[in-house]
Amino acid sequence: MRLLLSAFLLFLNMICFGQDKQFFLFVGGYTTGKSEGISVYRFNAADGSASFVSKVKTDNPSYLAISNNGNYVYCVNETGKGRSGSATAFSFDKKNGSLSLLNNKPVGANGPCYISVDKANKWLFTANYASGSVSVLTLKKDGFIDTLKEVIQHTGNSINKQRQEGPHGHTAIFSSNEKQLFTTDLGTDKINVYQFNSKKLNPLRVTNDSIIASTPGNGPRHIAFHPAKKVLYVINELAGTIDVFENKKGMTLLQTISTDTTNNLDKGCADIHLSDDGKFLYATNRGKYNTIAVFKVDERGKLELLELQPTGGKTPRNFMIDPTGNYLLVAHQNSDSVIVFKRDKETGLLTMTANKIEVGNPSCLKMLAVE
């Protein structure tokens, strides 16, 4: 009887926490090495394993976005010595896991490194590192990229003469309610906030309080929003820190905390994400570190460093927590691997598993549930 009860409880646990589910894992990266474009895997949330499904050729798809209905996948592309920028649209077959090319359009700027799509699949945005700008494009109902509507140019520089000689756009990410589009600029030490209205011909609007100033030399890179609190987290690539902002009648800086236990600035901070329950925050350190920092989030939203976990590869760039919350996957751009960690939901701590995906120069991970 006890064995039967234990088996039944285990079955319920698997259902409740989604461990019986499978997901399509999309891996984008650079095609200067072993990769030819975007690879698709089937990720098994029961044990954290992954199996190859398909791939599609495209140049340097360093960042990806998936439409809200899961029918389309978009990527940025950098081509040639001038890092000429474009965006590519693919249709996705949810039955066999294959991507099919729809079209490719220039974004009117160089070095696009981030891409976002609104929930209605009407608008596409890219952050452009080399040009220091944000591109706005329209989408057709059938997923095709339509028209380049606008390029919003950032201006200025900051104190790091090697890295901040001019603007370098790094993200174009929606707020939780999709009323605003946030863009970080590593070169100008600013976070630009645009009001978003999908019904307008030009959907982004600048307001008087549209710029959040970062400490000179910080190099803001990526952003995470707390799921329940009015708190914004910004990871600073050059300073090796995370800024915690409280958004109540304007942005107030609550805390600045290092992503490591040393004062060495060569951390090359890359990505930042919160757990769905908002209790833990994770951030990657590149440079000579190759670690992921695990933070506990307190009642107000401030951070406490819990551990520094070696990631098992070189240059941990993008990472993601799988939809069940049980695993964390890290893409290593310079060691051609994605490493899978088991995540403890109660403590937030990570344990490396034996699961490893060998794929060329990965820099972006996205998932979609298998229907």
Side-chain angles (χ1 to χ4, degrees):
M1 178 64 78
R2 287 182 179 180
L3 289 175
L4 288 174
L5 180 60
S6 297
F8 179 68
L9 290 174
L10 178 61
F11 174 74
L12 286 179
N13 181 67
M14 291 177 66
I15 293 176
C16 291
F17 289 98
Q19 292 178 318
D20 61 328
K21 289 188 177 180
Q22 297 200 2
F23 302 88
F24 288 115
L25 169 64
F26 302 85
V27 182
Y30 291 89
T31 53
T32 52
K34 298 178 181 179
S35 175
E36 294 181 305
I38 302 172
S39 297
V40 183
Y41 296 82
R42 184 180 288 260
F43 180 78
N44 187 348
D47 59 9
S49 64
S51 56
F52 177 78
V53 176
S54 68
K55 63 181 179 180
V56 66
K57 291 185 178 182
T58 186
D59 290 330
N60 293 329
S62 61
Y63 209 84
L64 312 174
I66 303 175
S67 65
N68 192 44
N69 59 14
N71 291 332
Y72 310 107
V73 174
Y74 301 92
C75 73
V76 292
N77 304 96
E78 300 176 51
T79 56
K81 293 183 179 180
R83 300 175 69 182
S84 178
S86 64
T88 302
F90 301 90
S91 62
F92 181 63
D93 189 320
K94 298 177 185 177
K95 292 183 178 180
N96 62 24
S98 64
L99 291 164
S100 299
L101 175 66
L102 294 178
N103 71 335
N104 174 275
K105 290 279 188 175
V107 299
N110 295 334
C113 60
Y114 200 100
I115 189 166
S116 293
V117 181
D118 71 328
K119 291 178 181 177
N121 214 56
K122 291 176 59 178
W123 296 97
L124 181 147
F125 304 91
T126 68
N128 310 307
Y129 185 87
S131 294
S133 60
V134 176
S135 298
V136 183
L137 300 95
T138 56
L139 295 171
K140 295 182 179 180
K141 292 182 178 180
D142 56 5
F144 280 75
I145 303 171
D146 192 7
T147 306
L148 175 62
K149 293 290 292 185
E150 186 178 15
V151 178
I152 302 173
Q153 181 63 52
H154 298 169
T155 59
N157 52 41
S158 196
I159 63 173
N160 186 321
K161 302 304 180 184
Q162 286 72 43
R163 296 292 307 278
Q164 297 181 309
E165 79 294 344
H168 295 301
H170 227 307
T171 53
I173 183 171
F174 281 108
S175 59
S176 302
N177 59 11
E178 209 177 67
K179 291 183 178 180
Q180 297 169 314
L181 186 79
F182 284 69
T183 68
T184 53
D185 195 299
L186 180 144
T188 64
D189 285 318
K190 295 175 182 177
I191 299 100
N192 301 273
V193 186
Y194 302 100
Q195 302 301 314
F196 173 68
N197 187 334
S198 66
K199 297 179 181 179
K200 298 288 186 179
L201 292 177
N202 290 311
L204 299 184
R205 180 171 62 90
V206 179
T207 60
N208 292 332
D209 59 349
S210 63
I211 293 178
I212 304 169
S214 186
T215 302
N218 265 1
R221 180 182 171 95
H222 279 201
I223 290 175
F225 300 95
H226 195 280
K229 307 177 193 298
K230 293 184 176 181
V231 178
L232 169 72
Y233 301 89
V234 181
I235 191 165
N236 301 305
E237 177 178 338
L238 304 182
T241 58
I242 296 170
D243 286 332
V244 183
F245 292 93
E246 189 173 43
N247 187 10
K248 291 182 179 180
K249 297 181 180 180
M251 290 287 183
T252 302
L253 182 63
L254 281 182
Q255 180 189 25
T256 298
I257 186 170
S258 176
T259 60
D260 196 81
T261 55
T262 72
N263 293 321
N264 192 316
L265 297 183
D266 185 30
K267 298 180 181 68
C269 293
D271 204 8
I272 184 169
H273 293 286
L274 283 150
S275 57
D276 283 345
D277 58 13
K279 293 181 179 180
F280 302 99
L281 181 141
Y282 302 84
T284 45
N285 295 306
R286 295 175 296 175
K288 66 180 182 181
Y289 288 81
N290 298 315
T291 60
I292 185 163
V294 182
F295 296 89
K296 182 180 179 180
V297 182
D298 72 10
E299 289 298 317
R300 194 172 178 186
K302 296 173 71 174
L303 303 175
E304 174 191 350
L305 180 63
L306 296 180
E307 73 166 349
L308 287 166
Q309 172 71 240
T311 59
K314 296 179 181 179
T315 317
R317 187 162 167 168
N318 178 236
F319 70 94
M320 71 169 296
I321 300 170
D322 85 305
T324 71
N326 292 314
Y327 295 95
L328 186 146
L329 292 76
V330 184
H332 294 94
Q333 183 180 340
N334 291 334
S335 57
D336 301 326
S337 65
V338 176
I339 301 295
V340 181
F341 289 84
K342 189 75 173 65
R343 178 178 168 270
D344 189 315
K345 290 183 177 180
E346 296 300 318
T347 67
L349 301 181
L350 304 174
T351 303
M352 186 181 294
T353 71
N355 296 318
K356 176 181 179 180
I357 303 170
E358 295 185 357
V359 56
N361 302 113
S363 62
C364 185
L365 307 173
K366 297 289 182 181
M367 278 193 191
L368 179 68
V370 174
E371 296 179 352

